[in-house]
């Protein structure tokens, strides 16, 4: 805030309000008024200056794509933009999926390849519009049935090459929109019986 920057996260509708290059005193007053308003307190005594409308050049476009390829660049203290449609977190030695990812409702492409992931959380089922899921070169042991059901009408590409899959759930056949499936170099002995009928 001391640099004239702040991010206000709105839950409903999900949106990030990003403020930058603001007058520090006015920004503090604005955030104070906002806090009082959220607490249903009177903000009549808070002094705010009249703001000039921002020009189109000053308004940042919503971020729809983010690529993180090193631990150093991983957003530990900042959140992922809600507007993301494509997220790639690769070669970061992740051992578990970041819980914040499941709140990215607009995500259509998720790439978590080249990490050390063993489990896929059921929370990923919240990504109802996911069309591509890249998980190659991890150590994933199973693909959750909950994801099969959640992605049944959206997932078109699934790359799980070079993992530790030993079996797939019967619900895997629910992924009827899949057109590109990669399962090389796993420990699969067979596929679900109804798989070939559904594809």
């Amino acid at each position: 805030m001391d640099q004239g920057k702040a991010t206000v996260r709105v839950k409903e509708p999900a949106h990030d309000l990003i403020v930058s290059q603001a007058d520090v005193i006015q920004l503090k007053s604005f955030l104070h008024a906002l806090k009082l308003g959220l607490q249903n307190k009177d903000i009549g005594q808070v002094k705010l200056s009249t703001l000039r409308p921002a020009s189109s050049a000053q308004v940042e476009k919503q971020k729809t794509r983010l690529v993180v390829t090193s631990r150093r660049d991983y957003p530990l203290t900042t959140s992922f933009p809600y507007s993301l449609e494509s997220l790639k977190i690769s070669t970061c030695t992740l051992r578990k999926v970041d819980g914040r990812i499941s709140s990215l409702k607009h995500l259509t492409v998720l790439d978590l390849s080249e990490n050390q992931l063993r489990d896929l959380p059921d929370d990923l089922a919240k990504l109802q519009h996911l069309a591509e899921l890249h998980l190659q070169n991890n150590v994933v042991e199973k693909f959750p049935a909950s994801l099969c059901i959640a992605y049944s009408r959206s997932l078109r590409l699934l790359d799980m090459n070079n993992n530790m899959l030993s079996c797939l759930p019967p619900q895997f056949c629910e992924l009827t929109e899949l057109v590109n499936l990669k399962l090389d170099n796993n420990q699969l002995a067979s596929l679900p019986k109804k798989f070939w009928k559904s594809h």
Side-chain angles (χ1 to χ4, degrees):
M1 193 187 319
D2 291 333
Q3 297 177 352
K5 298 178 181 180
T7 300
V8 179
R9 172 153 286 182
V10 181
K11 287 186 177 180
E12 190 62 41
H15 197 74
D16 285 342
L17 173 63
I18 300 172
V19 180
S20 62
Q21 300 179 359
D23 178 85
V24 174
I25 295 173
Q26 290 301 320
L27 178 58
K28 287 182 178 180
S29 294
F30 167 71
L31 293 175
H32 178 62
L34 187 62
K35 183 178 180 180
L36 290 175
L38 291 171
Q39 296 172 344
N40 292 320
K41 294 182 179 178
D42 182 20
I43 61 171
Q45 302 300 318
V46 180
K47 294 182 180 180
L48 295 174
S49 65
T50 303
L51 299 177
R52 290 171 295 167
S55 67
S56 57
Q58 291 175 307
V59 177
E60 292 183 26
K61 291 184 178 180
Q62 289 187 331
K63 198 165 192 175
T64 59
R65 189 169 183 270
L66 179 63
V67 176
V68 181
T69 55
S70 74
R71 294 287 289 184
R72 185 186 62 225
D73 298 329
Y74 196 86
L76 293 173
T77 57
T78 58
S79 43
F80 294 109
Y82 272 141
S83 54
L84 284 182
E85 296 173 8
S86 175
L87 174 61
K88 178 176 182 177
I89 304 174
S90 185
T91 62
C92 291
T93 62
L94 290 183
R95 294 182 181 276
K96 65 178 184 176
V97 177
D98 192 323
R100 297 175 295 171
I101 293 175
S102 62
S103 66
L104 303 175
K105 306 298 184 185
H106 304 290
L107 212 60
T108 59
V109 177
L110 178 59
D111 187 339
L112 299 173
S113 59
E114 308 277 348
N115 283 293
Q116 297 175 12
L117 299 174
R118 187 172 300 277
D119 300 307
L120 301 177
D122 289 329
D123 267 5
L124 285 180
K126 294 177 182 177
L127 304 176
Q128 295 290 320
H129 303 291
L130 201 65
E132 295 185 17
L133 181 56
H134 301 264
L135 294 165
Q136 64 271 25
N137 300 310
N138 278 284
V139 286
V140 177
E141 297 179 340
K142 64 178 183 176
F143 194 83
S146 59
L147 301 190
C148 298
I149 296 167
Y151 304 154
S152 62
R153 297 185 180 181
S154 65
L155 198 65
R156 298 180 60 79
L157 182 151
L158 175 60
D159 189 343
M160 295 200 67
N161 282 349
N162 302 307
N163 275 281
M164 301 291 287
L165 290 173
S166 58
C167 64
L168 294 171
Q171 293 85 351
F172 198 80
C173 301
E174 300 288 330
L175 298 171
T176 55
E177 298 300 314
L178 267 183
V179 293
N180 196 338
L181 174 63
K182 300 179 181 180
L183 296 170
D184 291 346
N185 298 319
N186 278 281
Q187 298 177 2
L188 291 168
S190 63
L191 294 174
K193 291 180 179 179
K194 295 182 180 179
F195 179 77
W196 300 112
K197 293 182 181 179
S198 61
H199 293 75

